[in-house]
Amino acid sequence: MVDKVAARRRRRQADVADASLMRVAVASCAGTTIEFYDFFVYGTAAALVFPKVFFPALGAAAGALASFATLGVAFVARPLGALVCGHFGDRFGRKNTLVATLLLMGVATVLIGLLPSSAAIGVAAPIVLTVLRFLQGFAVGGEWAGAALFAAEYAPERQRGRYAVFPQLGPALGFMLASGTFLLVDVMVGAGSEAFLAYGWRIPFLSSAVLVLIGLFVRTVVAETPAFREYRAELEANGARRPEIAPLRQVLRTHRRQVLLGGGVLTVLFALFYVATAYLTSFGTSADGAGLSRSTVLELGIAAGAVLALTTIAAGVLSDRIGRRRTIIAGFVSTVPLVLVLFGWLGGGSGIAFGVTLATMLGVYGVAYGPVGAYLPELFGTDCRYTGAGLAYNLGGVLGGAIVPLVAAALSAAYGVFAVGVLMAGVTLVSLASAVALRPRVEGLS
């Protein structure tokens, strides 16, 4: 009888633990999905709308370039967001910092949806747009590391890859949601219509307010991570209110190699994603590119996002069996020949080639990206994990997400689309070398 009671108690405890882990998983996934939805709504609008709304005086080509330049402003802001949010996240906790990043992103996105066009307020419109984009980048810079730590620090060691994959689903779900919202608006007001340019494009930005309220509710019901609570308890037991060394100083003293090589690993991942979602979106709708309708490109984007979600989940689970590093390296090794073949095929301007290239690029990205939610936190100790993981992640964001797409557009204009494939293969080799050189510093996250 006693054994049966004890067995029931253990089952109840296991059920409670599983429920808690699922709440953490949902909170981390919901937050990154909303953040990346906001981020990608801007990217989609930058490719399809902003040249006409905010940069009409520059003409089509220069307007598109200026629009993508504002897209890149966010990547400059991301390391700053990682530094500031990392400091507060390592000093005062993951949870409150994540709530703040979500609020900042939501407010900036809604304000973009309310921003008057250049026709209404002149040069002030693109200036304010750039400032709001900077705030978006700042928020995303602080978001990812906190969400990844939230999942990884809660997860059992042997299932860390499985649970840490939930924040990694943010790009896939956010991209699908952003593409789906624009597609719905296209159906409602008409693609390319005056109504779309006047107010239709604003709907996805304003819709962010509803998503942010949902995300805030989900995050406020989850407690601080066990690893951080133990870390704070240990400090207090030693009579210290805070660590003697600031998180950034600790990272620079003892973790420079992890940050630099971690940024190298992430460079091609950002390059794959943003070349696929920004450059290819513009290429797909261009008369000189695939020549597809905007609705077709958005539909293909939703399908490619589903492929990304599946490969991300599969890779995260696989990383618990064969290791994060091996899974990431396998993704990089497969990327090199694929991008060369696909961009050679894409040069023919085929709609099928466009769809296959988009889905495959996001698919191989997911293979390497899935384990990153556990891989980067395992490189740092609890006292500076938020700062270190955030800096490594966003260093890759600047190199791969801001610089590579701009270089890709210039190479494509000068030498044809196959040159973009050569560029992507070269960047992949750099990230592969970084992954080979980088091993996790800590296996436990306590």
Side-chain angles (χ1 to χ4, degrees), residues 186 213 227 309 360 385:
D186 269 1
L213 291 176
T360 304
R385 184 172 294 134

Side-chain angles (χ1 to χ4, degrees), residues 11-358:
R11 284 197 297 270
R12 285 197 299 270
Q13 290 172 344
D15 290 342
V16 170
D18 289 343
S20 178
L21 282 171
M22 285 310 300
R23 285 198 297 271
V24 170
V26 170
S28 62
C29 182
T32 54
T33 297
I34 293 166
E35 296 263 11
F36 280 101
Y37 165 81
D38 290 353
F39 207 69
F40 299 148
V41 159
Y42 189 101
T44 303
L48 304 178
V49 179
F50 286 173
K52 296 179 181 178
V53 174
F54 294 110
F55 305 99
L58 299 179
L65 183 61
S67 181
F68 278 115
T70 65
L71 190 69
V73 165
F75 291 98
V76 177
R78 288 175 78 143
L80 180 61
L83 282 174
V84 174
C85 296
H87 177 84
F88 285 100
D90 282 327
R91 278 289 179 90
F92 305 107
R94 324 310 194 194
K95 177 181 174 178
N96 291 335
T97 306
L98 284 172
V99 169
T101 62
L102 188 59
L103 275 173
L104 179 60
M105 173 62 88
V107 170
T109 303
V110 170
L111 289 178
I112 290 174
L114 296 173
L115 182 62
S117 68
S118 292
I121 61 173
V123 72
I127 293 174
V128 175
L129 178 68
T130 303
V131 172
L132 293 174
R133 182 57 176 174
F134 183 91
L135 294 178
Q136 279 193 322
F138 185 95
V140 168
E143 164 67 24
W144 179 87
L149 266 59
F150 216 73
E153 289 183 346
Y154 258 104
E157 184 174 336
R158 294 185 179 181
Q159 296 180 330
R160 192 175 297 137
R162 178 178 302 178
Y163 282 99
V165 83
F166 281 92
Q168 301 303 88
L169 291 173
L173 299 179
F175 180 55
M176 292 170 66
L177 192 58
S179 297
T181 305
F182 268 100
L183 184 61
L184 180 61
V185 171
D186 269 1
V187 172
M188 292 171 57
V189 304
S193 65
E194 290 297 323
F196 183 84
L197 292 176
Y199 67 86
W201 67 269
R202 301 178 184 274
I203 296 174
F205 288 88
L206 299 177
S207 300
S208 176
V210 177
L211 297 176
V212 168
L213 291 176
I214 296 172
L216 287 174
F217 171 76
V218 171
R219 283 192 168 170
T220 53
V221 299
V222 180
E224 184 58 81
T225 70
F228 188 79
R229 292 201 304 268
E230 292 171 8
Y231 167 65
R232 292 296 300 178
E234 184 179 343
L235 280 178
E236 292 170 5
N238 293 328
R241 294 182 58 189
R242 63 186 62 181
E244 295 181 1
I245 302 176
L248 176 59
R249 187 179 175 188
Q250 179 72 5
V251 168
L252 294 178
R253 283 180 59 181
T254 60
H255 298 82
R256 291 190 299 272
R257 184 174 184 274
Q258 285 89 343
V259 170
L260 293 175
L261 290 177
V265 170
L266 269 293
T267 295
V268 74
L269 297 181
F270 279 96
L272 283 168
F273 191 87
Y274 286 101
V275 166
T277 58
Y279 167 76
L280 284 183
T281 295
S282 179
F283 178 87
T285 56
S286 170
D288 297 329
L292 302 174
S293 67
R294 181 162 57 194
S295 61
T296 299
V297 170
L298 292 173
E299 290 166 357
L300 291 173
I302 295 172
V307 173
L308 169 56
L310 292 174
T311 57
T312 300
I313 294 170
V317 174
L318 180 64
S319 75
D320 281 330
R321 297 190 176 187
I322 69 171
R324 328 288 179 222
R325 185 165 162 270
R326 288 181 180 177
T327 308
I328 292 169
I329 288 173
F332 290 163
V333 169
S334 63
T335 297
V336 175
L338 282 172
V339 292
L340 292 174
V341 171
L342 289 171
F343 277 90
W345 185 22
L346 191 63
S350 165
I352 296 176
F354 171 82
V356 172
T357 300
L358 180 62

